[in-house]
Structures are given as structure tokens and as C-alpha cells.
């Protein structure tokens, strides 16, 4: 059978109403890539895989949740959806809403959304509004608007988003034959870590696939779950996790605790270093996506996580092409030489 997308593939595991009418771009089924060289770099003695979520149709894992949220809204005749976004949610909402012939409105923090994400939302045909405020302000506003107007909220407060996002946990178990020992991932609004934990638990109940320890990683300048209080002006290069007041914070902390894992924070420098190491191993991700592995590296170095003989999966949430500016800012302009062999040899051999 041709691949039907995450909703149809895992429908029997998803808690969704009868009226749901599938709207899909055949998201999911992303590769679980073995990373033996990177594992060695981090000290070795364990198996490492990257779940490359940047290969979803709009370039991030948000498509897994969006296919289900939009399918539910579409099935009950909704005409419009709205979300607050640090970028990837907006591109995904726009793509899926427009596919179903619905209107998408996205509210983003002014000047804080990576170029490839804003371009995506516009290209897919969303009405994009920038606010003079943070993601957290934007989320507060869209919650109020969707309460008072016939427009469906598709942030991860929408329970169907999490239903869809569980599918990545199912896929990992299907590919490995069991849950990994350790799962590391970035944490922003904390919907994803919540969905993974739900997914692994549910799959384990039905298929006895076991449970991973979950290592959630925030950016140091935006680490409310590590600090234990909201952060008013979150700052980080990892814009996808630049969130000071996570909507699913409590559930994220529960997921970490119940799984015998933890939530930690890493500096922008550590995150960008890991982005570079991933790319050097053939996997280019946006900065936020490297946070999980940056956290793993720190835990290994501190000796605070037992990785020997373990199987570890790192969730790389979004594609590097979403945030070209971060690379452009760090790079030196490529050399320019005359178009002749001698000039080229000189720079290649020196
Ligand atoms: C949304 C997003 C995150 C954070 O996920 P949460 O569910 O908000 O914790 C991390 N990385 C990327 C690329 C994202 O788009």
C-alpha cells in the first residue's frame, strides 16, 4: 500500500473524533539515521541515531501535529485557523489549511522569525501579522481570539496536534523494534516532549516496546523549566525554542521525571557547535534542532548520564535551510579567484 501519512498509518492509536477528514501532505516516515562517527566524537560506547524531522513536507516536525489538527477542524466544517508561531508552526499551518481550502492566520513576534520560516508562511498563503511582542504575547492573543471568534487554534494547546506528534515515537519503535534507551530533544513550548512521552507510553502498553529516558534541552537564555519560573525576555539563536512561558511546561516536567530523565539548558555556543558537528556528519539542522545533542554531549562530559551500551535517539526537529542567516552570519565569504586552472590550484593546494 502507498504510504498514507501519519493520521491514516496510526489512526487506531490516535484519539480523534469521528468527523475527522484526513488532510495530508504525506508527512512523517522520516529517516532514523545512524550516526556512528558522531557517537565516537562524543566518547563512544553507545549507538546513536538522528530522527531527521527536517525532512517533513514543510521542513519541521510540526507537520505531524498539523495534519491531525487541520483534519479535525476541516472535518467539522471550520473555515479558518490561527496560531502564534516562532516560525515553523506558521509554515505548517499555512500549508495544511490551504491544502484544505481554509484560511490560515499566523501571529509572529516582529523581527524574531528566521527568514526561511517567514518565507514559508507567506509562500503557502497565510495571512501573517507581526506583533511588537514575544511569542508568549502572541500565544496569549491567539488564545483569546480563538475563544471569541469562529477560528480554530492550532498551537500545540490544540490536543489533536499532540495526537499527531505521537506518531514519531511510534515510528522510532517500529524501526528499532523497541523504544530507545535514551531520547534527547529540544524543548520550547513543550508540546513535543509531551507528545513523545504520550506516544512511547501508549505504544508500550499495546506492543511492549519499552520506555526511553527523556533528556529535554532548553536554550540557556530561554530556560523557564530549568529555572523554575517564566522568563520575561527569552533570548537565543535557537529561535524555535525562544519561549519564556511554555504552554505544556507542567507536562514536560512530568515526562522528564516519569521517564527518569531530566530537562537541562545549554548555551547558544554549545548549540551552534553541535549544529556544526551534525552538519559535518551530513545532517544540516536549524539551531534549535541541535539542542538535544548539545545536552547529550554535556551530560556525557559531566558523567551524569549513563550511556554505555545504550541506544540513543536524538530528535532533530527542523531543517537547516529554515535559518540560512545563522550560517551566513558565521561564515567567511568564499574566496574568489580568476577562472583559470593555475589560480584554482593555488587556492586548493596551499
Ligand atoms: C516547535 C519547534 C521546537 C520546539 O517544540 P515544542 O513542542 O515547542 O517544545 C523545536 N525545534 C523546532 C525546529 C521547532 O519547530
Amino acid at each position: 500500500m502507498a504510504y498514507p501519512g501519519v493520521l491514516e498509518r496510526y489512526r487506531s492509536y490516535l484519539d480523534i473524533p469521528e468527523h475527522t477528514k484526513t488532510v495530508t501532505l504525506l508527512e512523517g516516515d522520516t529517516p532514523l539515521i545512524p550516526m556512528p562517527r558522531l557517537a565516537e566524537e562524543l566518547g563512544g560506547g553507545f549507538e546513536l541515531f538522528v530522527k531527521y524531522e527536517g525532512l517533513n513536507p514543510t521542513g519541521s516536525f510540526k507537520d505531524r501535529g498539523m495534519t491531525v489538527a487541520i483534519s479535525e477542524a476541516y472535518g467539522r466544517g471550520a473555515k479558518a485557523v490561527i496560531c502564534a508561531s516562532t516560525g515553523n508552526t506558521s509554515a505548517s499551518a499555512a500549508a495544511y489549511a490551504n491544502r484544505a481550502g481554509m484560511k490560515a492566520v499566523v501571529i509572529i513576534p516582529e523581527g524574531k522569525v528566521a527568514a526561511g520560516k517567514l518565507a514559508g508562511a507567506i509562500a503557502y498563503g497565510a495571512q501573517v501579522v507581526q506583533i511588537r511582542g514575544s511569542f508568549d504575547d502572541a500565544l496569549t492573543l491567539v488564545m483569546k481570539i480563538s475563544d471569541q471568534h469562529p477560528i480554530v487554534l492550532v498551537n500545540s494547546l490544540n490536543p489533536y496536534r499532540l495526537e499527531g506528534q505521537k506518531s514519531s515515537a511510534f515510528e522510532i519503535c517500529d524501526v528499532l523494534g523497541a523504544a530507545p534507551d535514551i531520547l534527547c530533544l529540544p524543548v520550547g513550548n513543550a508540546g513535543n516532549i509531551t507528545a513523545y512521552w504520550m506516544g512511547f507510553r501508549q505504544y508500550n502498553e499495546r506492543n511492549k516496546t519499552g520506555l526511553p529516558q527523556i533528556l529535554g534541552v532548553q536554550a540557556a537564555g530561554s530556560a523557564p523549566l530549568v529555572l523554575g519560573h517564566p522568563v520575561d525576555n527569552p533570548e537565543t539563536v535557537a529561535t524555535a525554542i525562544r519561549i519564556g512561558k511554555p504552554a505544556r511546561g507542567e507536562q514536560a516536567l512530568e515526562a522528564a521525571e516519569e521517564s527518569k530523565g531530566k530537562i537541562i539548558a545549554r548555551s547558544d555556543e554549545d548549540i551552534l557547535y553541535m549544529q556544526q558537528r551534525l552538519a559535518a556528519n551530513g545532517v544540516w539542522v536549524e539551531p534549535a534542532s541541535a539542542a538535544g545533542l548539545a545536552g547529550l554531549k554535556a551530560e556525557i562530559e559531566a558523567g551524569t548520564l549513563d550511556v554505555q551500551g545504550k541506544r540513543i535517539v536524538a530528535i532533530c526537529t527542523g531543517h537547516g535551510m529554515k535559518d540560512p542567516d545563522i550560517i551566513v552570519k558565521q561564515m567567511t565569504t568564499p574566496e574568489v579567484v580568476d577562472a583559470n586552472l593555475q589560480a584554482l590550484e593555488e587556492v586548493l593546494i596551499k
Side-chain angles (χ1 to χ4, degrees), residues 60-109:
S60 84
F61 76 82
K62 299 298 198 298
D63 295 343
R64 293 181 182 276
M66 206 55 74
T67 180
V68 180
I70 296 290
S71 297
E72 187 280 328
Y74 177 61
R76 72 177 137 101
K79 299 281 182 272
V81 303
I82 190 167
C83 64
S85 179
T86 59
N88 283 328
T89 301
S90 63
S92 188
Y96 284 81
N98 277 293
R99 184 161 174 80
M102 292 192 285
K103 180 182 160 105
V105 180
V106 310
I107 312 295
I108 58 174

Coordinates of all heavy atoms in Angstrom, one line a residue, residues 60-109:
S60 N 9.7 20.8 9.1 CA 9.8 20.5 10.5 C 8.8 19.5 11.0 O 7.9 19.2 10.3 CB 9.6 21.8 11.3 OG 8.2 22.1 11.5
F61 N 9.0 19.1 12.3 CA 8.0 18.0 12.8 C 6.6 18.6 13.0 O 5.7 17.8 13.2 CB 8.5 17.6 14.2 CG 8.3 18.5 15.3 CD1 7.1 18.6 16.0 CD2 9.3 19.4 15.7 CE1 6.9 19.5 17.0 CE2 9.2 20.3 16.7 CZ 7.9 20.4 17.4
K62 N 6.4 19.9 12.9 CA 5.1 20.5 13.1 C 4.1 19.9 12.2 O 2.9 19.9 12.5 CB 5.2 22.0 12.9 CG 6.1 22.8 13.9 CD 5.7 22.6 15.3 CE 6.3 23.6 16.3 NZ 7.7 23.6 16.4
D63 N 4.5 19.3 11.1 CA 3.6 18.8 10.1 C 2.8 17.5 10.7 O 1.7 17.3 10.3 CB 4.3 18.3 8.8 CG 4.9 19.6 8.1 OD1 4.4 20.7 8.4 OD2 5.7 19.3 7.2
R64 N 3.5 16.8 11.6 CA 2.8 15.6 12.2 C 1.6 16.0 13.0 O 0.6 15.3 12.9 CB 3.8 14.9 13.2 CG 5.0 14.3 12.6 CD 5.8 13.7 13.6 NE 7.0 13.1 13.1 CZ 7.1 11.9 12.5 NH1 6.0 11.1 12.5 NH2 8.2 11.5 12.0
G65 N 1.7 17.1 13.7 CA 0.6 17.5 14.5 C -0.4 18.3 13.7 O -1.6 18.2 13.9
M66 N 0.1 19.0 12.7 CA -0.8 19.9 11.9 C -1.7 19.1 11.0 O -2.9 19.4 10.8 CB 0.1 20.8 11.0 CG -0.6 22.1 10.7 SD -1.3 23.0 12.1 CE 0.2 23.7 12.8
T67 N -1.3 18.0 10.5 CA -2.2 17.1 9.6 C -3.4 16.7 10.4 O -4.5 16.7 10.0 CB -1.4 15.9 9.0 OG1 -2.4 15.2 8.2 CG2 -0.8 15.0 10.1
V68 N -3.2 16.4 11.7 CA -4.3 15.9 12.5 C -5.2 17.1 13.0 O -6.4 17.1 12.9 CB -3.8 15.1 13.7 CG1 -5.0 14.6 14.6 CG2 -3.0 13.9 13.3
A69 N -4.6 18.2 13.4 CA -5.3 19.4 13.9 C -6.2 19.9 12.7 O -7.3 20.3 12.9 CB -4.4 20.4 14.4
I70 N -5.6 20.0 11.5 CA -6.3 20.6 10.4 C -7.4 19.6 9.9 O -8.5 19.9 9.6 CB -5.4 20.9 9.2 CG1 -4.4 22.0 9.6 CG2 -6.1 21.3 8.0 CD1 -4.9 23.4 9.8
S71 N -7.1 18.3 10.0 CA -8.1 17.3 9.6 C -9.3 17.3 10.5 O -10.5 17.2 10.0 CB -7.5 15.9 9.6 OG -6.4 15.7 8.7
E72 N -9.1 17.5 11.7 CA -10.2 17.6 12.7 C -11.0 18.9 12.4 O -12.2 18.8 12.3 CB -9.7 17.6 14.1 CG -10.8 17.5 15.2 CD -11.4 18.8 15.5 OE1 -10.8 19.9 15.4 OE2 -12.6 18.8 15.8
A73 N -10.3 20.0 12.3 CA -11.0 21.3 12.0 C -11.8 21.3 10.7 O -13.0 21.7 10.6 CB -10.0 22.4 12.0
Y74 N -11.2 20.7 9.7 CA -11.8 20.6 8.4 C -13.0 19.7 8.4 O -14.1 20.1 7.9 CB -10.7 20.1 7.4 CG -11.2 19.8 6.0 CD1 -11.7 20.9 5.2 CD2 -11.2 18.5 5.4 CE1 -12.2 20.7 3.9 CE2 -11.7 18.3 4.1 CZ -12.2 19.4 3.4 OH -12.6 19.2 2.1
G75 N -12.9 18.6 9.1 CA -14.0 17.7 9.2 C -15.2 18.2 9.9 O -16.3 17.8 9.6
R76 N -15.1 19.2 10.8 CA -16.3 19.8 11.4 C -16.6 21.1 10.7 O -17.4 21.9 11.3 CB -16.1 19.9 12.9 CG -15.1 21.0 13.3 CD -15.1 21.1 14.9 NE -13.8 21.2 15.4 CZ -13.3 22.4 15.9 NH1 -14.0 23.4 15.8 NH2 -12.1 22.4 16.4
G77 N -16.1 21.3 9.6 CA -16.5 22.5 8.7 C -15.9 23.8 9.1 O -16.4 24.9 8.7
A78 N -14.8 23.8 9.8 CA -14.1 25.1 10.1 C -13.6 25.8 8.9 O -13.3 25.1 7.9 CB -13.0 24.9 11.1
K79 N -13.6 27.1 8.9 CA -13.2 27.8 7.7 C -11.8 28.5 7.8 O -11.2 28.9 6.9 CB -14.2 29.0 7.4 CG -15.7 28.4 7.1 CD -15.8 27.9 5.7 CE -17.2 27.5 5.3 NZ -17.4 26.0 5.7
A80 N -11.4 28.6 9.1 CA -10.1 29.3 9.3 C -9.4 28.8 10.6 O -10.1 28.3 11.5 CB -10.4 30.8 9.5
V81 N -8.1 28.9 10.5 CA -7.3 28.5 11.7 C -6.3 29.7 12.0 O -6.0 30.5 11.2 CB -6.5 27.2 11.5 CG1 -7.4 26.1 11.1 CG2 -5.4 27.4 10.4
I82 N -5.9 29.7 13.3 CA -5.0 30.7 13.7 C -3.9 30.1 14.6 O -4.2 29.1 15.4 CB -5.7 31.9 14.5 CG1 -4.8 33.0 14.7 CG2 -6.3 31.4 15.8 CD1 -5.5 34.3 15.1
C83 N -2.7 30.6 14.6 CA -1.7 30.2 15.5 C -0.7 31.3 15.8 O -0.5 32.2 15.0 CB -0.9 29.0 15.0 SG 0.1 29.3 13.5
A84 N -0.1 31.2 17.0 CA 1.1 32.0 17.3 C 2.3 31.1 16.9 O 2.2 29.9 17.0 CB 1.2 32.3 18.8
S85 N 3.4 31.8 16.5 CA 4.5 30.9 16.0 C 5.8 31.5 16.1 O 6.0 32.7 16.0 CB 4.2 30.6 14.5 OG 5.2 29.7 14.0
T86 N 6.8 30.7 16.4 CA 8.2 31.1 16.3 C 8.7 30.9 14.9 O 9.8 31.1 14.6 CB 9.1 30.4 17.3 OG1 9.0 29.0 17.0 CG2 8.7 30.6 18.7
G87 N 7.8 30.4 14.0 CA 8.1 30.2 12.6 C 7.6 28.9 12.0 O 6.9 28.9 11.0
N88 N 8.0 27.8 12.5 CA 7.7 26.5 11.9 C 6.2 26.2 11.9 O 5.7 25.6 11.0 CB 8.5 25.4 12.5 CG 9.9 25.4 11.9 OD1 10.2 25.8 10.8 ND2 10.9 25.0 12.8
T89 N 5.6 26.5 13.0 CA 4.1 26.2 13.1 C 3.4 27.0 12.1 O 2.4 26.5 11.5 CB 3.6 26.6 14.5 OG1 4.3 25.9 15.5 CG2 2.1 26.3 14.7
S90 N 3.8 28.2 11.8 CA 3.1 29.1 10.8 C 3.2 28.5 9.4 O 2.2 28.4 8.7 CB 3.6 30.5 10.8 OG 5.0 30.6 10.5
A91 N 4.4 28.0 9.0 CA 4.5 27.5 7.7 C 3.7 26.2 7.6 O 3.0 26.0 6.6 CB 6.0 27.1 7.4
S92 N 3.7 25.4 8.6 CA 2.9 24.2 8.6 C 1.4 24.4 8.6 O 0.7 23.8 7.8 CB 3.3 23.3 9.8 OG 2.7 22.0 9.7
A93 N 1.0 25.3 9.4 CA -0.5 25.7 9.5 C -0.9 26.2 8.1 O -2.0 25.8 7.6 CB -0.8 26.7 10.6
A94 N -0.1 27.0 7.5 CA -0.4 27.6 6.2 C -0.6 26.6 5.2 O -1.5 26.5 4.4 CB 0.6 28.7 5.9
A95 N 0.4 25.7 5.1 CA 0.4 24.6 4.1 C -0.8 23.7 4.2 O -1.5 23.5 3.2 CB 1.7 23.8 4.2
Y96 N -1.1 23.2 5.4 CA -2.2 22.3 5.6 C -3.6 23.0 5.5 O -4.5 22.4 4.9 CB -2.1 21.5 6.9 CG -1.0 20.5 6.8 CD1 0.4 20.8 7.0 CD2 -1.3 19.1 6.5 CE1 1.3 19.8 6.8 CE2 -0.3 18.2 6.4 CZ 1.0 18.5 6.6 OH 2.0 17.6 6.4
A97 N -3.7 24.2 6.0 CA -5.0 24.9 5.9 C -5.3 25.2 4.5 O -6.4 24.9 4.0 CB -5.0 26.2 6.7
N98 N -4.4 25.7 3.8 CA -4.6 26.0 2.4 C -4.9 24.7 1.5 O -5.7 24.8 0.6 CB -3.5 26.8 1.8 CG -3.6 28.3 2.2 OD1 -4.6 28.9 1.7 ND2 -2.8 28.8 3.0
R99 N -4.2 23.7 1.9 CA -4.5 22.4 1.2 C -6.0 22.0 1.3 O -6.5 21.5 0.4 CB -3.6 21.3 1.7 CG -3.7 20.0 1.0 CD -2.6 19.1 1.3 NE -2.7 17.8 0.7 CZ -2.4 17.5 -0.6 NH1 -2.0 18.5 -1.4 NH2 -2.6 16.3 -1.1
A100 N -6.5 22.3 2.4 CA -8.0 22.0 2.7 C -8.9 23.1 2.3 O -10.1 23.1 2.5 CB -8.2 21.7 4.2
G101 N -8.3 24.2 1.7 CA -9.1 25.3 1.3 C -9.6 26.2 2.4 O -10.6 26.9 2.3
M102 N -8.9 26.2 3.5 CA -9.2 27.0 4.7 C -8.2 28.2 4.8 O -7.1 28.1 4.2 CB -9.1 26.2 6.0 CG -10.2 25.1 6.1 SD -10.3 24.4 7.8 CE -8.8 23.4 7.8
K103 N -8.6 29.2 5.5 CA -7.7 30.3 5.7 C -6.8 30.1 6.9 O -7.2 29.5 7.9 CB -8.6 31.6 6.0 CG -7.9 32.9 6.2 CD -8.9 34.0 6.5 CE -8.2 35.2 7.1 NZ -8.0 36.3 6.3
A104 N -5.6 30.5 6.8 CA -4.6 30.5 7.9 C -4.2 31.8 8.3 O -3.8 32.6 7.5 CB -3.4 29.6 7.6
V105 N -4.3 32.1 9.6 CA -3.8 33.4 10.1 C -2.6 33.1 11.1 O -2.8 32.2 12.0 CB -4.9 34.2 10.9 CG1 -4.3 35.5 11.4 CG2 -6.1 34.4 10.0
V106 N -1.5 33.7 10.9 CA -0.4 33.4 11.8 C 0.2 34.7 12.4 O 0.3 35.7 11.8 CB 0.8 32.6 11.2 CG1 0.3 31.4 10.4 CG2 1.6 33.5 10.2
I107 N 0.4 34.6 13.8 CA 0.8 35.8 14.5 C 2.3 35.5 15.0 O 2.5 34.5 15.7 CB -0.1 36.0 15.8 CG1 -1.5 36.0 15.4 CG2 0.3 37.4 16.4 CD1 -2.0 37.1 14.5
I108 N 3.2 36.3 14.6 CA 4.6 36.1 14.9 C 5.2 37.3 15.6 O 4.8 38.4 15.5 CB 5.4 35.8 13.7 CG1 5.4 36.9 12.6 CG2 5.0 34.5 13.0 CD1 6.3 36.7 11.4
P109 N 6.3 37.1 16.5 CA 7.0 38.2 17.1 C 7.8 38.9 16.0 O 8.5 38.3 15.3 CB 7.9 37.5 18.1 CG 7.9 36.0 17.7 CD 6.8 35.7 16.8

